[in-house]
Amino acid sequence: MVAVAMVSLSLRAVAWQDFSQVEVHSTHVAGNVHLMTGAGGNIGVSVGADGVLIVDDQFAPLAGKIEAALKKLSPGSLKFVLNTHHHGDHTGGNAHFGQQASIIAHANARRRMSGNTPASKPELPVITFEDSLSVWFNGEEIRLIHVPPAHTDGDCVIHFTRSNVYHFGDTFFSGRFPNIDLGGGGDVRGYIRNVAGFLGKIPPDARLIPGHGPLSTVKELREFHEMLVETSGIVERAIAAGKSLEEVIGEGLPAKWKSWEVPSLPTARWLDILYRGLKPKQ
Ligand SMILES: [Zn+2]
């Protein structure tokens, strides 16, 4: 019950958001890559001789502002939209941008957007993949790497190989508790394993674009991993001791994690995700 109430509350918060007040800003990250922020998931942008490619496109009402901000970065035309996963705060602009560019996403992400319709609609990916796919664009290989179930079952991490930039989608929330979409194929242990796997692979000078939160490096990814390991350990021990979800939420987390709360993901909601994700299935 608690979970249902919280989920519907957060959906309504999105519906009520006043997008007229949102400003879209861009920052150069490295090489060809820029970060664009407004409301919703962070947008990665590649600009260069071949034109423009974006990673995710936030909410539909922001498409005009995003388009204006892209025009400021480059006069080139938009060729590709890469979706890191299916959620509406990352794909809401697809209906607009899909009329001018080809959308690429993991097969499960398209399935969750469309119910697997073969029909072509501007908001749906036209190219899907299972394990990985490369787009050779603006002088570099841009790799889309599918990861085992983490935030959803259709996540990919995007590696701009020459610019040395990674866009993590929602498999990385920098400095804040993440959402893990258990109903959308997400997996708490898979989520943590995935972060650990990338920690072992990413060079220290790489720039990391999280799905939500500020531009980061391996340092912030490591802090995120520490938070995931420690808070999931607390909940795992509480489950083993036979505690209920209400007891776990009542006990809360150590004060050091208080600053990781955001309005859409307070400690109680993070504990709810961990509890439901870690509790053995009956
Ligand atoms: Zn998401």
Side-chain angles (χ1 to χ4, degrees):
M1 283 299 283
V2 175
V4 171
M6 282 177 188
V7 167
S8 65
L9 196 72
S10 71
L11 288 178
R12 260 182 287 144
V14 168
W16 287 337
Q17 197 166 351
D18 179 5
F19 290 104
S20 69
Q21 302 305 311
V22 174
E23 289 179 26
V24 173
H25 295 285
S26 50
T27 320
H28 181 239
V29 177
N32 298 319
V33 182
H34 298 254
L35 163 66
M36 200 168 273
T37 56
N42 286 324
I43 300 175
V45 186
S46 167
V47 297
D50 297 334
V52 178
L53 169 152
I54 59 175
V55 179
D56 291 345
D57 51 27
Q58 299 193 343
F59 295 105
L62 295 174
K65 288 180 188 177
I66 293 166
E67 192 157 74
L70 290 173
K71 283 284 165 242
K72 272 196 219 165
L73 284 180
S74 164
S77 53
L78 182 67
K79 301 279 178 59
F80 295 103
V81 176
L82 317 183
N83 287 153
T84 58
H85 62 295
H86 71 280
H87 286 155
D89 57 332
H90 297 256
T91 60
N94 278 9
H96 179 85
F97 294 111
Q99 295 175 41
Q100 36 185 298
S102 300
I103 303 174
I104 307 177
H106 186 263
N108 290 344
R110 190 187 189 281
R111 214 166 281 144
R112 289 192 180 278
M113 286 178 214
S114 71
N116 228 10
T117 176
S120 96
K121 295 181 186 172
E123 68 268 29
L124 294 179
V126 293
I127 299 168
T128 61
F129 66 97
E130 292 289 343
D131 298 321
S132 71
L133 180 144
S134 293
V135 181
W136 301 82
F137 195 71
N138 286 338
E140 68 181 329
E141 180 184 7
I142 301 168
R143 296 196 68 210
L144 292 80
I145 307 155
H146 173 56
V147 303
H151 174 70
T152 67
D153 60 6
D155 301 312
C156 66
V157 173
I158 291 152
H159 183 198
F160 296 87
T161 56
R162 198 161 173 185
S163 299
N164 198 18
V165 175
Y166 290 78
H167 191 309
F168 272 84
D170 283 356
T171 64
F172 177 26
F173 283 58
S174 188
R176 44 171 288 185
F177 296 135
N179 181 28
I180 297 176
D181 183 357
L182 301 173
D187 182 277
V188 169
R189 290 189 181 89
Y191 194 100
I192 300 171
R193 261 197 307 274
N194 182 56
V195 173
F198 275 98
L199 269 179
K201 272 184 247 165
I202 294 182
D205 59 346
R207 310 298 299 274
L208 314 185
I209 299 175
H212 299 269
L215 188 59
S216 298
T217 64
V218 172
K219 174 180 173 283
E220 287 79 20
L221 189 66
R222 190 170 295 119
E223 289 165 0
F224 184 58
H225 183 248
E226 280 166 18
M227 181 282 293
L228 293 170
V229 169
E230 191 170 319
T231 59
S232 66
I234 290 168
V235 173
E236 234 162 4
R237 287 189 293 277
I239 291 169
K243 289 183 183 167
S244 68
L245 172 61
E246 288 68 28
E247 285 173 299
V248 169
I249 289 177
E251 285 169 16
L253 286 171
K256 66 192 272 205
W257 304 117
K258 183 79 182 158
S259 67
W260 289 66
E261 288 192 317
V262 289
S264 60
L265 235 138
T267 299
R269 186 162 173 229
W270 175 231
L271 289 170
D272 177 74
I273 291 168
L274 287 174
Y275 192 93
R276 287 184 296 119
L278 294 169
K279 195 165 167 54
K281 304 278 175 285
Q282 300 303 322

